[in-house]
Structure formats: structure tokens, C-alpha cells
Amino acid sequence: MSSRRRTTIVGSLVTASFSALMILAAPAVAKGPGPGSDKGGKAVDQAPEGVAPTTLLPEEISVDNESRKTTITATVKNDGTKESGALRLLVVGFDGLTVENVPGCSRIAEGDLPEGSNSGFSCPIDNLAAGASKSYAADATFDLGRTGKICLPVQNPDGSKTFWQQGPVPFGTTNPSPNAPATPLLLGTDNTPVAPDGDELPRTGAPGRDVLPLGAAGAALLTAGAAGVWWSRRGPETHRRG
């Protein structure tokens, strides 16, 4: 066989092998953020006529088991027929879920956080056209030995009215994998914390405390499952950030 023919055959085999590897590797490529969900959300105060703000959270997030880091995409939409005017979106963490940073947003001072929450950011929105949306990539950590919740209220700029509130809604899994590189958590699922030896740890979320008041920030959150909005200034600090 001539050297030229051998070179051609070898080249074809290399190309075929590379193509096969690409095909086999394709399913292993990480998926992008899945479709958003408004699970745990409801309208609160009456929004201006023609304005209908809502929010979306991913159906699934992935938490690195070593660093505990994750990213949560929080999306605010205007499902109405008119421009929204100025709004603000709050991104608030509870229990084992701590919001570390939301680019383009301001951290809520510890004294102005809702009672029972550990972190929060306020995101000013100049205007949302009818049908438009805006997304924020929230950097967070999740202590997999605890339960964790997130809350997304959409308010007018001074926080005197809450037009929509999603949560506090949990992320979690009922089948933890402490030895895996990462743990997938599902929206609307209470986390079942598991120690490295497989023994279940006590849950830390407080079941009837789904709604907690903001202080000087003036934001109101809606009690899950109830039709009221609570208003109150916080008293002395009852918790410390973890």
C-alpha cells in the first residue's frame, strides 16, 4: 500500500474517531437554565391598570457539594398590556439559602431584612414594557444540611405596595447525594438534609413562618396561604447572619 494511501486512510480514521467522540460527548454537556416557574407566587396589592408583574424561578438548581455555591436566575415579567413604570424586585434568602450577590442590585441592610431571613438584595427597575422581562443571576450558597427558601417580592419603588410575591418557596431534594460532585435541588421541594454518614439531620425551617416583616425598607411580604399583608417594623435583632 502506498504511503499516500495509508495517510489518507489514517486521516479518515482520525476524523471518524473525532466525530464519534463528539457524538458521545454531546449528552454530557451541561444543560442551560430550564424553564422558569411562578410556583409559590400570587398577586398582593392591586397593580396599576394594565400592569401585571410576576416572577419566575428555575425549576431546578445545582449546588456544588464542596463549595455550597449555586446560581439562581430570578426573572421579573410584566404580563400586562401597559408599561409598568418604576418597580423594584427583592431577592431574599431564608434558612440554609443565603443570597451572596445580585449584580446590579443593592444589598439590603441587616436591620432592614425580613425577620427570619439571612440576606437580601433590592433591584431597581426603571420600566418594563408590556410583555417584557428582566433576569438577574443571583449568586447564592446553600447549606445542604438545612432547608432553604427564597422569596421574590415585586414592589413599587418605596416598598409601600407589593404587587406580586413569589415565596418564600423552598428548594430541596428528598434524595440527597452527599458523595456526588453536586446536588440538584427542585423548586417547591422541602430539602431532606442528610449527614455524610447517611443519617437524616433535623430540619431547620420553621413551618408556619413563611412570611416575615421587613423593617425600615418598608417592604411587605405576603403570608403564604393567607390573604393578608403584614406591616411592622422590626424590634431588636433576633438573629445573626450565618
Side-chain angles (χ1 to χ4, degrees):
M1 183 183 295
S2 69
S3 60
R4 181 176 180 181
R5 179 170 176 76
R6 284 199 301 272
T7 301
T8 301
I9 292 174
V10 170
S12 299
L13 290 173
V14 170
T15 301
S17 299
F18 180 76
S19 299
L21 287 173
M22 291 296 289
I23 292 172
L24 291 173
V29 175
K31 296 180 180 179
S37 170
D38 64 357
K39 183 179 296 184
K42 61 180 66 179
V44 188
D45 293 319
Q46 181 68 46
E49 184 179 355
V51 179
T54 59
T55 56
L56 298 173
L57 285 165
E59 288 278 6
E60 180 178 321
I61 62 174
S62 180
V63 177
D64 185 286
N65 284 343
E66 184 174 351
S67 67
R68 299 181 176 179
K69 292 182 178 180
T70 186
T71 300
I72 303 173
T73 302
T75 300
V76 58
K77 296 176 57 182
N78 178 12
D79 286 331
T81 57
K82 296 182 179 179
E83 293 185 347
S84 69
L87 298 170
R88 74 174 183 181
L89 170 70
L90 303 184
V91 183
V92 184
F94 292 81
D95 302 326
L97 194 161
T98 302
V99 183
E100 303 288 352
N101 185 44
V102 184
C105 305
S106 302
R107 183 183 294 275
I108 299 173
E110 185 173 356
D112 294 337
L113 287 169
E115 183 183 349
S117 71
N118 55 48
S119 55
F121 284 77
S122 176
C123 307
I125 301 168
D126 292 335
N127 184 57
L128 279 179
S133 64
K134 187 171 184 178
S135 295
Y136 297 86
D139 296 322
T141 54
F142 197 112
D143 182 351
L144 293 168
R146 305 172 62 190
T147 58
K149 297 179 182 178
I150 191 168
C151 188
L152 302 181
V154 182
Q155 305 177 328
N156 61 347
D158 66 4
S160 60
K161 290 186 177 181
T162 298
F163 301 131
W164 170 270
Q165 180 178 310
Q166 185 173 9
V169 62
F171 274 104
T173 177
T174 56
N175 185 27
S177 302
N179 297 322
T183 297
L185 302 182
L186 299 177
L187 181 67
T189 301
D190 286 322
N191 194 40
T192 302
V194 171
D197 61 2
D199 294 331
E200 184 173 346
L201 298 176
R203 298 192 176 199
T204 56
R209 298 177 61 199
D210 284 344
V211 182
L212 305 163
L214 279 181
L221 299 181
L222 175 69
T223 302
V229 176
W230 35 257
W231 283 88
S232 70
R233 290 183 175 272
R234 295 182 57 195
E237 282 296 325
T238 57
H239 68 284
R240 294 180 181 272
R241 295 178 61 188

